[in-house]
């Protein structure tokens, strides 16, 4: 029988692609991009055809045959492959891992799917219904100006749409999308954590009935396949989804929208560590599409791109529906006279009074703290013992209902001890604060108010989340206590008050973006109040009320804060003025990981000096801020350079060296890292 060769990519951290024997019959039914099952070691792997080479250096005897074709239709074309290869280069990630993210494994054989997965949710089916679209409102002058700028026939640079929360950015996206659809093109809209914000999806599907597909990681395999097919066959012309939707298999792409472009959830934190905003810009360039990045609080990367002329910017200054701007107050929590009760360092008379007023007026309030559980940890007040995770270098978070100590890193759980395990004392006290405690205290103060909690512990499933959000929307809830789940994208006109319990909590994180993030988070949370006719009040309780990030969020005077922060970044040579890669080392044995990390970085530095072409700085190696997770000791080093290409050259050198050394230490590299813990 006549045979040819097939080159395939498999979802393994291999730098190489693999070669297989392909029979004439298989060859006739596949093309570039077809999914195949191939034998590998003692099992099989899901692979994609990359090409049909003439020769191979694998000996005839070792060459295995690929016999199982999973689907006749190719899942990507040559252009897409070029793009995936570019991403693999940029992020120093094996092509196979890029493909496993970009082209998700789909359950082609529906008969083999578990019964549980067969029924798509009513919500997703609702996307397919044709119907009467909600009317687009006439755009305001500001919105119209933004749209016209975006559609400039000559200037096609990415547009940063900087508009305060509630200024009508989403309406601008929808108007731009409507125009692309009229011109026969398609659109992708990325939103952070779509599962948290079903409201956004509903707005799109009501404006464009039957034309919207949704992609995110919470879909069942069947749901994903269905959405995928609707995109592929062109019946869905708008894809709304979380970060991986940036890879949606659209043709004729006209527009890519990245909503809340500053959100760190756009960065994938494992295997293929891409940033969906950056990938969106690259994909739009490749497909000749335009990009719109929206945010009330743009990332400093994007602001810098405006400064250098890579991006354009339009601002929306006014809230569309709100008659007046929200009143924002900072409460200095160092002042003991401001305490509602002397034993509660976190609750001010100001916030309690404002809550009371809101309840009296029949309005709704949100109280925000970005900390889960009842308290940060449990301590023995006789001997000082506290309870840490068995596997990680962190204290266990104390939960009261049900009583439990939990590790937020590895999910280890145990019952809290009744007596101290060291000194047998029964004087165990919770220290620190979490949303559970806030809810409990507010229930005591406002016994007749209807409370709800919105955080990962209270709301575990999509169903529970949708339920809680629905109750808020129907005004069956008076006070919502929550974590950052509250901060994102919700648009509830009944909310008159937002209280932030510890506005400076996120400033203490060891990350050069701490101030930027704090400012962004506070602005986003504050934006939940006063969205319609009801005037909004925001109360920021802080121990450092003069911190620039807090003042900027309270006053909305962002330019000064941004300028100072950017100057500091430049002085200390941090992004957006430099490029970084974070190299992580982990191993069970602490001295092994330490020695290896030091050796690897020394060699890298020596090699980069010898090469003389790449200009590289190595910060560290040093123990990671959380030195042990899941029983693995962690060290890390930061690579810094002026140019991306130097960072990539360094990481590639390291990867090649490691492939030769085959160390027992696990090493990973994160290009453009967003998380340093
Ligand atoms: P953002 O995305 O900036 O937070 P939205 O687009 O959600 O703002 O707009 C906030 C609210 O104002 C929404 O309820 C929206 O329907 C409404 N809205 C936006 N633009 C207009 C407009 N031109 N006319 C009337 N209502 C509008
Ligand atoms: Zn003790
Ligand atoms: Zn743990």
């Amino acid at each position: 029988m006549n045979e040819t060769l097939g080159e395939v990519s498999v979802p393994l951290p291999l730098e190489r692609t693999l070669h297989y024997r392909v029979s004439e019959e298989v060859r006739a039914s596949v093309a570039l991009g077809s999914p195949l099952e191939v034998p590998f070691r003692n099992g099989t792997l899901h692979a994609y055809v990359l090409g049909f080479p003439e020769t191979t250096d694998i000996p005839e005897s070792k060459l295995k045959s690929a016999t199982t074709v999973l689907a006749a239709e190719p899942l990507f074309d040559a252009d897409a492959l070029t793009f995936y290869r570019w991403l693999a280069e940029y992020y120093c990630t094996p092509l196979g891992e890029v493909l496993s993210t970009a082209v998700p494994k789909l359950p082609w054989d529906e008969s083999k799917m578990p019964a549980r997965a067969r029924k798509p949710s009513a919500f997703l089916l609702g996307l397919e219904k044709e119907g009467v679209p909600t009317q687009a409102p006439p755009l305001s002058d500001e919105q119209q100006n933004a749209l016209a700028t975006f559609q400039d026939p000559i200037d096609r640079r990415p547009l940063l749409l900087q508009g305060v929360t509630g200024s009508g950015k989403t309406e601008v996206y929808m108007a731009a999308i409507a125009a692309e659809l009229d011109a026969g093109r398609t659109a992708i809209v990325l939103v952070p954590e779509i599962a948290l914000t079903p409201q956004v999806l509903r707005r799109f599907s009501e404006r464009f009935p039957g034309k919207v597909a949704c992609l995110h990681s919470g879909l069942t395999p069947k749901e994903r396949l269905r959405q995928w097919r609707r995109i592929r066959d062109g019946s869905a012309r708008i894809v709304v989804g979380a970060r991986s939707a940036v890879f949606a298999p659209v043709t004729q792409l006209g527009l890519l929208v990245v909503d809340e472009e500053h959100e760190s959830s756009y960065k994938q934190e494992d295997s293929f560590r891409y940033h969906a905003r950056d990938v969106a810009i690259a994909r739009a360039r490749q497909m000749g599409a335009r990009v719109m990045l929206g945010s009330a609080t743009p990332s400093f990367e994007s602001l810098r791109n405006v400064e250098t002329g890579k991006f354009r910017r339009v601002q929306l200054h006014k809230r569309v529906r709100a008659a007046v701007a929200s009143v924002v107050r900072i409460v200095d929590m160092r002042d003991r006279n401001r305490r509602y009760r002397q034993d509660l360092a976190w609750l001010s008379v100001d916030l309690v009074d404002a809550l009371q007023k809101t309840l009296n007026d029949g309005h709704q309030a949100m109280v925000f703290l970005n900390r889960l559980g009842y308290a940060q940890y449990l301590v023995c007040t006789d001997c000082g013992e506290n309870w840490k995770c068995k596997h990680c270098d962190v204290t266990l978070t104390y939960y009261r209902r049900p009583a439990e100590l939990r590790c937020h890193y590895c999910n280890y759980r145990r019952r809290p001890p009744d007596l101290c395990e060291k000194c047998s004392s029964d004087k165990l006290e919770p220290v620190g604060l979490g949303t559970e405690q806030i809810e409990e205290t507010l229930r005591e103060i406002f016994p007749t108010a209807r409370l709800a909690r919105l955080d990962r512990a209270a709301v575990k499933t999509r169903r529970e989340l949708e339920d809680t959000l629905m109750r808020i929307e129907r005004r069956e809830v008076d006070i919502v206590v929550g974590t950052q789940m509250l901060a994102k994208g919700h648009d509830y006109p009944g909310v008159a008050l937002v209280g932030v319990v510890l506005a400076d909590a996120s400033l203490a994180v060891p990350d050069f973006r701490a101030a930027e993030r704090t400012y962004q988070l506070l602005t986003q949370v504050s934006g939940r109040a006063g969205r319609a006719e009801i005037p909004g009040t925001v109360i920021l309780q802080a121990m450092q009320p003069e911190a620039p990030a807090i003042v900027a969020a309270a006053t909305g005077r962002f330019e000064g804060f941004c300028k100072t922060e950017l100057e500091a970044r430049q002085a200390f040579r941090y992004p957006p003025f430099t490029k970084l890669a974070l190299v992580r080392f982990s191993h069970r044995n602490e001295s092994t990981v330490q020695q290896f990390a030091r050796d690897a970085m020394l060699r890298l530095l020596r090699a980069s000096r010898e090469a003389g072409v790449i200009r590289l700085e190595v910060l560290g190696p040093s123990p990671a801020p959380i030195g042990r997770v899941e029983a693995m000791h962690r060290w890390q080093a930061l690579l810094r350079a002026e140019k991306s290409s130097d960072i990539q050259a360094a990481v590639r050198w390291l990867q090649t060296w490691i492939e030769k050394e085959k160390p027992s230490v696990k090493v990973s590299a994160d290009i453009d890292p967003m998380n340093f813990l």
Side-chain angles (χ1 to χ4, degrees):
M1 191 166 49
N2 242 335
E3 288 187 327
T4 47
L5 283 168
E7 181 192 15
V8 308
S9 165
V10 292
L12 288 180
L14 294 175
E15 284 307 316
R16 299 166 287 119
T17 54
L18 303 178
H19 289 172
Y20 285 86
R21 234 194 277 271
V22 177
S23 71
E24 224 169 50
E25 193 194 341
V26 169
R27 173 70 187 86
S29 60
V30 297
L32 184 146
S34 298
L36 287 178
E37 203 169 72
V38 297
F40 189 80
R41 305 234 162 92
N42 295 322
T44 58
L45 285 175
H46 185 281
Y48 294 104
V49 175
L50 300 182
F52 303 95
E54 302 278 304
T55 60
T56 178
D57 43 19
I58 303 188
E60 187 73 12
S61 61
K62 286 212 172 149
L63 210 55
K64 295 185 185 164
S65 293
T67 51
T68 316
V69 180
L70 292 174
E73 72 177 316
L75 301 192
F76 52 85
D77 59 17
D79 284 345
L81 182 58
T82 307
F83 183 56
Y84 303 147
R85 285 194 199 276
W86 182 85
L87 289 172
E89 284 279 303
Y90 182 89
Y91 285 105
C92 299
T93 297
L95 182 62
E97 292 199 344
V98 174
L99 285 169
S100 355
T101 299
V103 193
K105 227 165 108 177
L106 296 171
W108 297 108
D109 189 350
E110 283 165 80
S111 64
K112 277 195 203 150
M113 275 197 288
R116 191 177 56 72
R118 277 191 203 152
K119 206 171 133 272
S121 76
F123 187 61
L124 285 171
L125 284 177
L127 293 180
E128 299 173 29
K129 283 211 196 78
E130 307 262 344
V132 187
T134 56
Q135 277 291 328
L139 296 183
S140 69
D141 290 349
E142 273 193 338
Q143 286 170 319
Q144 217 138 33
N145 169 48
L147 184 65
T149 308
F150 176 69
Q151 292 173 333
D152 187 305
I154 294 160
D155 192 344
R156 298 176 60 89
R157 285 176 297 164
L159 180 77
L160 177 63
L161 182 61
Q162 183 175 352
V164 297
T165 51
S167 61
K169 296 184 292 295
T170 311
E171 286 297 336
V172 177
Y173 307 154
M174 290 199 285
I177 290 169
E180 293 300 329
L181 258 51
D182 283 346
R185 291 185 289 263
T186 59
I188 297 176
V189 183
L190 302 183
V191 293
E193 309 187 51
I194 188 161
L196 294 185
T197 51
Q199 223 185 7
V200 179
L201 184 58
R202 206 189 324 145
R203 268 177 85 180
F204 278 91
S205 66
E206 285 173 358
R207 182 66 55 83
F208 304 101
K211 295 204 177 72
V212 176
C214 172
L215 287 178
H216 65 85
S217 60
L219 301 183
T220 64
K222 167 116 179 184
E223 286 171 344
R224 177 166 307 124
L225 179 58
R226 196 180 178 98
Q227 299 301 315
W228 225 80
R229 290 202 168 132
R230 293 182 57 229
I231 301 166
R232 276 302 287 261
D233 70 21
S235 56
R237 308 192 54 80
I238 306 167
V239 183
V240 180
R243 61 175 177 247
S244 65
V246 73
F247 299 109
V250 291
T251 48
Q252 298 292 319
L253 183 64
L255 166 60
L256 249 156
V257 173
V258 185
D259 188 30
E260 310 290 3
E261 64 87 29
H262 63 280
E263 276 287 336
S264 49
S265 59
Y266 280 127
K267 175 82 180 185
Q268 175 148 305
E269 291 292 353
D270 54 19
S271 63
F272 173 28
R273 296 180 165 82
Y274 68 100
H275 196 303
R277 175 199 58 220
D278 302 343
V279 172
I281 292 163
R283 184 164 189 208
R285 195 189 312 130
Q286 200 221 14
M287 295 187 79
R290 293 180 187 237
V291 182
M292 182 146 38
L293 309 175
S295 176
T297 54
S299 65
F300 285 6
E301 279 78 5
S302 294
L303 289 168
R304 175 74 186 149
N305 280 329
V306 170
E307 249 177 41
T308 60
K310 250 180 101 177
F311 293 177
R312 307 176 283 158
R313 172 166 70 169
V314 186
Q315 303 201 42
L316 303 177
H317 297 97
K318 290 194 290 276
R319 278 190 168 181
V320 181
R321 291 194 300 166
V324 288
S326 291
V327 175
V328 188
R329 274 167 46 208
I330 305 178
V331 178
D332 184 348
M333 295 305 282
R334 292 169 304 193
D335 180 355
R336 279 164 200 273
N337 296 326
R338 298 247 61 83
R339 286 192 187 176
Y340 172 70
R341 250 169 40 196
Q342 282 310 308
D343 63 326
L344 295 177
W346 58 266
L347 189 62
S348 62
V349 279
D350 309 69
L351 183 53
V352 173
D353 288 352
L355 283 165
Q356 187 63 61
K357 179 174 185 304
T358 305
L359 293 172
N360 293 346
D361 294 346
H363 299 153
Q364 293 172 296
M366 291 183 164
V367 177
F368 173 84
L369 174 72
N370 213 5
R371 277 191 198 150
L372 281 165
Y374 188 87
Q376 264 164 301
Y377 57 95
L378 194 65
V379 71
C380 166
T381 56
D382 276 328
C383 78
E385 174 78 345
N386 62 33
W387 280 264
K388 290 210 159 129
C389 178
K390 286 209 295 208
H391 317 288
C392 315
D393 229 356
V394 290
T395 53
L396 294 168
T397 303
Y398 176 65
Y399 286 77
R400 189 165 269 182
R401 256 177 235 130
E404 207 169 49
L405 293 174
R406 276 192 220 166
C407 173
H408 288 162
Y409 283 84
C410 72
N411 216 23
Y412 165 79
R413 297 157 176 237
R414 57 161 290 180
R415 253 181 50 76
D418 296 316
L419 299 176
C420 174
E421 284 149 354
K422 213 161 141 198
C423 76
S424 302
S425 160
D426 62 355
K427 298 199 183 55
L428 308 185
E429 280 182 21
V431 176
L433 190 60
T435 43
E436 199 187 345
Q437 188 175 151
I438 289 178
E439 185 191 2
E440 191 186 277
T441 309
L442 292 180
R443 269 187 206 287
E444 284 166 25
I445 301 176
F446 304 108
T448 58
R450 296 164 301 173
L451 265 74
R453 187 148 56 87
L454 200 61
D455 63 34
R456 257 190 299 132
V459 176
K460 292 194 200 70
T461 62
R462 197 160 89 197
R463 191 61 200 273
E464 286 174 343
L465 174 77
E466 280 169 18
D467 261 22
T468 307
L469 294 178
M470 194 56 87
R471 279 168 49 222
I472 301 172
E473 183 164 346
R474 294 205 193 110
R475 309 235 187 155
E476 294 165 11
V477 174
D478 301 313
I479 305 176
V480 200
V481 176
T483 54
Q484 56 167 353
M485 265 190 179
L486 272 188
K488 316 237 162 114
H490 308 296
D491 185 18
Y492 299 113
V495 177
L497 172 69
V498 164
V500 178
V501 173
L502 288 173
D504 30 18
S506 51
L507 279 175
V509 181
D511 186 325
F512 67 89
R513 290 191 181 92
E516 178 187 345
R517 293 245 173 86
T518 303
Y519 165 78
Q520 288 164 345
L521 191 59
L522 293 179
T523 307
Q524 296 293 333
V525 194
S526 305
R528 301 308 121 217
R531 293 181 69 88
E533 300 78 34
I534 306 171
T537 302
V538 178
I539 293 188
L540 307 177
Q541 303 186 139
M543 288 287 176
Q544 304 171 49
E546 65 290 332
I550 295 177
V551 175
T555 58
R557 280 200 290 276
F558 166 71
E559 300 297 330
F561 166 67
C562 172
K563 189 164 168 284
T564 322
E565 268 294 302
L566 278 174
E567 278 164 12
R569 297 267 183 98
Q570 187 157 29
F572 290 102
R573 317 226 334 287
Y574 276 115
F577 298 92
T578 54
K579 287 284 180 176
L580 299 178
L582 182 66
V583 184
R584 293 189 173 93
F585 303 88
S586 67
H587 194 266
R588 284 188 177 275
N589 183 300
E590 188 168 15
S591 65
T592 309
V593 69
Q594 170 178 354
Q595 265 170 29
F596 184 82
R598 289 201 170 133
D599 185 36
M601 288 304 111
L602 273 178
R603 283 168 192 267
L604 173 62
L605 268 180
R606 205 181 305 143
S608 80
R609 271 194 215 115
E610 276 164 15
V613 271
I614 65 172
R615 299 161 70 93
L616 182 74
E617 243 181 302
V618 176
L619 312 179
S622 55
I626 293 168
R628 194 171 62 117
V629 171
E630 294 183 39
M632 301 293 267
H633 289 274
R634 303 168 356 134
W635 272 60
Q636 61 191 36
L638 208 48
L639 312 185
R640 178 158 70 186
E642 303 280 328
K643 289 191 306 197
S644 271
S645 55
D646 284 348
I647 288 285
Q648 279 131 11
V651 171
R652 240 170 268 126
W653 182 92
L654 200 63
Q655 288 171 335
T656 313
W657 180 70
I658 282 162
E659 203 161 310
K660 273 205 313 260
E661 290 291 296
K662 298 196 176 26
S664 58
V665 173
K666 205 176 143 239
V667 187
S668 69
D670 184 355
I671 309 284
D672 305 334
M674 298 295 286
N675 175 3
F676 300 88
L677 289 183

